[in-house]
Amino acid sequence: MPQALTREVGLLRAIAGQLEQRPLPFEQVTQEFLRKEGLGHVREKAGNIISLGISAHQAFGDLTDCLRDRYPAMERGSTYADVQTELFSFIEAYVGREPSTIATSDAEALLTRFEHWFAQRASSRRVFVPCLITRTAAPRFEIGPVTFEFINRIRTSDFWPSLKGEASLDRHGFEDLLKWMHEGDAYWLARVSVDGCEQRRAEEIAELAVDLAIVALQLSAPALGTSTMARLDARRGTSQKRTLSEAGGYHNAGWTRKEPGLTIGRGTLEDILLKSAQLIAAVGNLVQSFASGSFRLPTLERAWCDAAYWLHQARAESIDTIAIAKLETALEVLFCSESARGSEQRILGIFHAFFGLAPDAPINPGSLISARQFARRIVRDRSRILHGTWSTLNARGLDRAGIEGFVISVVRMAAVELDAYAHSPDPSDDIDEFLHWMKKRRGALA
C-alpha cells in the first residue's frame, strides 16, 4: 500500500467498522438519544438513519482534517461543517462493507470526490454586508478589498444590479437587504470580493474582512464613537438605552443614544480617512492578505488580524472585566505569547521596540508606574479574571481606559510597522525578528 494513503485507508476502515443503517427511531433524534445509543453522527435517509458509532467519531474528524490538509485551497475556501457533510455522504456507501476490503483505490476515490466537489463550488463572489458606522452621509471609501457605500447612493452605484442579464430576483434580494438596513439603522453597505470559496465560506471571510476594515476606523479615531461600529448582525447592542428606577415613591427615567459615530458630522469621516491615510493603507493591505488567503508574512499578518479582531470585540464589550481579558488576549496573540511569563516579557518587548522604554522607565512622563509594573498588572488582571480569583461581575481597581488606550496604540503602530516590514528587504516571518527590526528602525529614525 502506498505510504501516502496509508492514513486515509486506516481511517476509512475504522469508520466502516462503526457504520450501520437503522430504522428511523420513534423518538426524536436528540443529543440525549445519541449519547444513549453510543452514536457520534447520524443522518436520516429514506425512512432510516445512517449512524456512526461514537468510537469512530475521532476517526471521522481525523479524516476530515486529512482532506483539508491535502487541499489547502479547500481548507481556506470551505467550512469545516460542509466538508464533514460531504464526507458523510461519501461514507454512506460503506454501510455493511467489510473493513478489511477497503484499499488504496477507496482512498483515491475519496480524494477524487473532494477534488471535484470543491472545484464545482469554489468561485469568485462579491459579498454585500450591511454595517453601522455613522448616520452621516459621506463619499464611498475603500479599506483594502472592502468598499463602503452610503445607503442613499446604493441604487445609483455599481453595487445595484443592472437590468442586463439580471433576473428580477436579484433586485428583489437587494430591496429586502435595504429594508433590513433601514429597520436596523444601518446606513452603510460594504462590498467584499472573495475568490476561490464556496458560498458560505465566502460570506464568512467577507464578514470578518469587514470587521477588520472597521478596526481601521476604530484605530484612526478611537474617541469619536467608533467603539460600537460593527456589522449589522454582529454583537453591537441597541441604538439607544432607556432606564427606569424607583426610589422613595419617585421614578427616574433615563435615555441615552448609543448609535456609532454620533460625533462624526458632515466632512468628519473624510477628514479621518485623509489624516489616517498611512494607517488605512496599512490595515487595508493586511485585510487584503486575510481576504485573499495570500499572506506576505503568514505568521505575523495572521497574528495581527487575530489581535485586531479581539480588540474589535473588546471595544464593544459592556463589562470591564471581560473587556480587559479580551484586550490582553489581543496582545498575546499579536506577539505570540505562550504563558503568563511570556506575556509579561512580550509586553516589555513592546515597550522597548515601540516606545523605546526600559522596564523600569515610567510609562508616561511623570507617571509613578513603570513599564514593568504596567506589564505585570495587565497579565495579573487577565489571569485573575479568567481563573476566578476576581469576580467577573464585581471586580475592582481595573483601568480599562488605560489598557484599552495602550492596546489601541500598539495594534495601530503594529499595522503600520508590519506593512513597512513586509516591504523591507528579505523580512523574516518571526515575531522576534520583527521586534528586532523595529528597534533598529527606531534607532535609525531617532
Side-chain angles (χ1 to χ4, degrees):
M1 181 186 303
Q3 184 65 33
L5 295 177
T6 301
R7 181 163 172 75
E8 284 85 351
V9 171
L11 292 170
L12 281 172
R13 288 176 175 176
I15 291 169
Q18 288 288 310
L19 198 64
E20 63 177 332
Q21 181 171 294
R22 299 180 173 199
L24 188 66
F26 291 108
E27 59 184 297
Q28 187 176 2
V29 179
T30 62
Q31 286 298 320
E32 178 61 30
F33 172 81
L34 295 179
R35 283 193 296 268
K36 182 177 67 176
E37 297 294 321
L39 303 178
H41 286 74
V42 296
R43 173 181 291 178
E44 185 176 343
K45 187 174 183 180
N48 297 296
I49 60 170
I50 307 296
S51 63
L52 179 64
I54 193 66
S55 60
H57 179 77
Q58 184 63 50
F60 186 73
D62 289 345
L63 188 55
T64 306
D65 292 337
C66 278
L67 290 166
R68 288 163 63 86
D69 290 342
R70 283 193 176 276
Y71 299 113
M74 186 176 72
E75 181 177 18
R76 170 188 172 267
S78 61
T79 66
Y80 194 86
D82 284 344
V83 173
Q84 287 210 316
T85 298
E86 183 64 16
L87 177 57
F88 204 91
S89 295
F90 177 84
I91 65 173
E92 285 178 357
Y94 287 79
V95 172
R97 176 87 174 263
E98 169 56 45
S100 63
T101 66
I102 296 174
T104 302
S105 58
D106 295 282
E108 291 172 344
L110 173 67
L111 298 183
T112 299
R113 165 83 168 256
F114 271 88
E115 187 174 1
H116 292 162
W117 173 80
F118 182 66
Q120 291 172 353
R121 286 159 177 76
S123 65
S124 297
R125 288 180 168 84
R126 296 193 304 170
V127 182
F128 299 89
V129 184
C131 302
L132 299 104
I133 295 176
T134 174
R135 286 176 172 266
T136 307
R140 168 187 293 201
F141 65 95
E142 297 180 355
I143 300 177
V146 186
T147 302
F148 293 90
E149 188 75 88
F150 193 71
I151 192 169
N152 291 347
R153 299 190 177 97
I154 291 172
R155 285 187 173 85
T156 57
S157 74
D158 58 359
F159 279 33
W160 194 249
S162 66
L163 290 176
K164 297 179 181 179
E166 301 271 4
S168 60
L169 188 62
D170 293 336
R171 287 198 171 183
H172 180 71
F174 250 93
E175 292 288 0
D176 286 345
L177 187 73
L178 292 180
K179 180 181 178 182
W180 180 44
M181 290 174 66
H182 279 293
E183 292 171 350
D185 292 328
Y187 287 83
W188 289 86
L189 185 63
R191 183 182 66 191
V192 191
S193 295
V194 181
D195 297 327
C197 294
E198 55 87 23
Q199 182 177 338
R200 284 211 300 173
R201 180 57 176 156
E203 291 169 351
E204 184 178 80
I205 288 176
E207 289 173 351
L208 292 172
V210 169
D211 290 336
L212 295 175
I214 289 174
V215 170
L217 299 176
Q218 295 177 320
L219 296 174
S220 300
L224 293 182
T226 58
S227 62
T228 53
M229 288 182 177
R231 287 179 282 119
L232 175 56
D233 64 342
R235 182 178 177 278
R236 59 182 178 88
T238 59
S239 62
Q240 58 179 288
K241 180 177 181 179
R242 293 184 179 273
T243 60
L244 183 64
S245 60
E246 181 271 331
Y250 293 92
H251 289 79
N252 183 34
W255 175 74
T256 306
R257 292 181 64 182
K258 297 178 64 180
E259 301 106 313
L262 278 176
T263 55
I264 297 179
R266 189 169 299 278
T268 304
L269 185 56
E270 300 99 291
D271 187 58
I272 291 171
L273 294 168
L274 179 63
K275 290 180 178 177
S276 303
Q278 183 184 23
L279 172 64
I280 297 295
V283 173
N285 288 336
L286 291 162
V287 178
Q288 178 62 46
S289 294
F290 171 79
S292 67
S294 178
F295 292 90
R296 299 166 296 179
L297 299 165
T299 299
L300 295 175
E301 290 191 293
R302 284 193 179 103
W304 188 91
C305 292
D306 290 343
Y309 190 82
W310 277 105
L311 172 61
H312 181 59
Q313 292 294 309
R315 295 216 67 200
E317 179 56 58
S318 60
I319 299 177
D320 289 347
T321 50
I322 297 176
I324 284 175
K326 292 179 177 180
L327 289 167
E328 208 271 333
T329 301
L331 293 178
E332 282 201 338
V333 299
L334 178 61
F335 294 100
C336 310
S337 304
E338 297 178 354
S339 64
R341 179 171 177 78
S343 294
E344 182 178 331
Q345 291 304 312
R346 288 297 190 202
I347 295 172
L348 290 176
I350 293 169
F351 275 116
H352 191 196
F354 283 61
F355 308 107
L357 294 177
D360 294 325
I363 58 172
N364 291 306
S367 174
L368 299 178
I369 300 176
S370 68
R372 190 192 309 279
Q373 290 170 324
F374 187 77
R376 286 179 177 172
R377 182 175 296 179
I378 291 178
V379 177
R380 178 205 66 186
D381 290 354
R382 177 179 182 271
S383 178
R384 289 178 174 177
I385 292 165
L386 294 183
H387 293 93
T389 306
W390 281 356
S391 168
T392 303
L393 304 181
N394 194 35
R396 300 180 179 182
L398 297 175
D399 181 17
R400 174 174 177 172
I403 295 174
E404 186 170 275
F406 175 67
V407 175
I408 288 172
S409 296
V410 170
V411 174
R412 178 172 55 223
M413 193 178 299
V416 175
E417 295 294 330
L418 183 54
D419 193 52
Y421 180 62
H423 288 95
S424 67
D426 196 28
S428 175
D429 191 19
D430 178 82
I431 184 60
D432 291 315
E433 290 296 325
F434 173 51
L435 291 175
H436 179 68
W437 176 86
M438 282 192 61
K439 292 175 187 176
K440 290 178 64 177
R441 178 175 161 89
R442 274 193 87 260
L445 296 175

